Amino acid sequence: MSKKSTKKNIVLGILFFLPVAFLLMLLPSENNYTPLDIVKENVLDIENLPSNPDKSIILKKHITVLGFLGSNPEGKITEASNLKELIYDKFKGFKKFQVVMLVPEEAKEEAKRLENELNKYKPLKFWYFVYASKSDINRLFKSLRTSLRLDGTYGTNSVFIIDKELNQRGRLDDRTKKEIEKNTVPVYPLTAYNCSEISILKNKMGADDVRVLLTEYRQKRKGDFNSTTRRADDIKPNSTTDEKE
């Protein structure tokens, strides 16, 4: 065999085995990823709100993006549209994924108009509006871990991720790589996702957090999930800020 032929076979061999080696390197990283942190346990389910007439919509056994539209839902059309385009449209095909929006009872008409606007091109089959009293909405909100407060309409621009076991998910440490390396910034968590901020929805919630949670449940179904999730009581006492908004 000539030297030219030998070199050609070596090059072809390298070109063939490099992609295979790359895929083998990826497999361990996929199985050993860090699950999305549990930042709060025992979130109140909406079926336990006395003023909620529709008991068919529940949080338990679902992966839920939970929001609070307040008594002026149409005033949050931008935030709702951002959530639809960047999160709902991306994950609506996944089993048990849903978006649930809490609305005060007196704002049904306004919420219907917002719903019609969001459904203009295609019905949102897994996006639900739940109507309840302001006191019940406040009770549910208080069962979450956040430094945010509902505004005067009982709404907020931020949404929350709730898993199938009624745990609130997020990040116990949301510092950037540079902040961690320099170690000059105290640990701060991310427990809510501001729908006014495209970068948060796209780069944190959509690209990482919801995707990682769905991967966790897929691996649980396959029986190869090994949780290393830190619990809510692992949060350092001096970590009091939930989001940078």
Side-chain angles (χ1 to χ4, degrees):
M1 186 180 292
S2 66
K3 289 184 178 180
K4 188 175 182 180
S5 178
T6 302
K7 288 181 179 179
K8 181 179 180 181
N9 289 334
I10 292 173
V11 171
L12 289 174
I14 292 173
L15 291 175
F16 174 78
F17 284 109
L18 270 179
V20 176
F22 179 70
L23 288 173
L24 289 173
M25 290 172 64
L26 286 180
L27 286 176
S29 63
E30 182 179 346
N31 291 329
N32 297 317
Y33 73 98
T34 302
L36 189 62
D37 294 322
I38 294 174
V39 298
K40 176 72 166 59
E41 298 178 340
N42 300 317
V43 173
L44 183 66
D45 204 332
I46 53 178
E47 68 173 347
N48 296 322
L49 301 180
S51 60
N52 172 26
D54 188 353
K55 304 302 180 183
S56 64
I57 303 170
I58 61 174
L59 304 185
K60 193 172 183 179
K61 297 183 179 180
H62 292 80
I63 296 171
T64 306
V65 174
L66 178 66
F68 299 80
L69 288 175
S71 54
N72 181 25
E74 291 175 290
K76 289 187 168 35
I77 180 63
T78 299
E79 290 75 16
S81 297
N82 290 342
L83 185 66
K84 174 189 175 297
E85 293 173 12
L86 298 172
I87 304 299
Y88 177 84
D89 287 349
K90 184 175 181 179
F91 298 108
K92 62 184 178 182
F94 287 85
K95 190 175 182 180
K96 295 298 182 178
F97 175 80
Q98 64 180 5
V99 172
V100 175
M101 290 288 165
L102 270 292
V103 183
E105 295 165 315
E106 65 269 23
K108 283 186 179 181
E109 291 303 317
E110 293 88 342
K112 287 294 181 184
R113 290 196 291 268
L114 174 61
E115 185 177 5
N116 291 337
E117 183 66 27
L118 295 174
N119 281 272
K120 184 178 292 184
Y121 302 106
K122 193 173 183 180
L124 278 61
K125 291 176 61 178
F126 309 106
W127 182 306
Y128 306 105
F129 293 84
V130 173
Y131 303 98
S133 67
K134 290 179 178 178
S135 60
D136 278 349
I137 290 173
N138 197 44
R139 279 181 60 219
L140 175 53
F141 186 80
K142 285 185 175 181
S143 75
L144 300 167
R145 180 180 182 272
T146 178
S147 62
L148 298 173
R149 293 184 179 182
L150 294 175
D151 61 25
T153 71
Y154 286 78
T156 176
N157 290 340
S158 294
V159 294
F160 305 82
I161 298 175
I162 313 298
D163 71 15
K164 293 183 179 182
E165 289 76 37
L166 298 178
N167 298 313
Q168 180 185 349
R169 297 294 193 103
R171 305 183 184 195
L172 294 176
D173 187 352
D174 191 40
R175 290 177 299 171
T176 64
K177 288 183 179 179
K178 287 185 178 180
E179 288 174 335
I180 293 174
E181 289 171 1
K182 292 181 179 180
N183 199 29
T184 55
V185 179
V187 174
Y188 57 85
L190 176 69
T191 64
Y193 303 82
N194 191 341
C195 295
S196 301
E197 300 289 339
I198 298 295
S199 61
I200 290 178
L201 289 182
K202 186 176 181 179
N203 300 326
K204 293 188 177 183
M205 189 178 188
D208 287 323
D209 295 4
V210 174
R211 178 183 58 81
V212 165
L213 184 57
L214 290 168
T215 299
E216 174 185 325
Y217 279 104
R218 185 175 69 247
Q219 291 190 350
K220 282 180 177 178
R221 290 196 301 271
K222 292 166 62 179
D224 57 2
F225 175 71
N226 182 19
S227 176
T228 57
T229 303
R230 293 168 292 169
R231 312 298 283 188
D233 56 3
D234 290 330
I235 301 172
K236 295 183 179 181
N238 62 349
S239 302
T240 56
T241 305
D242 289 331
E243 303 87 15
K244 288 189 171 181
E245 296 187 300

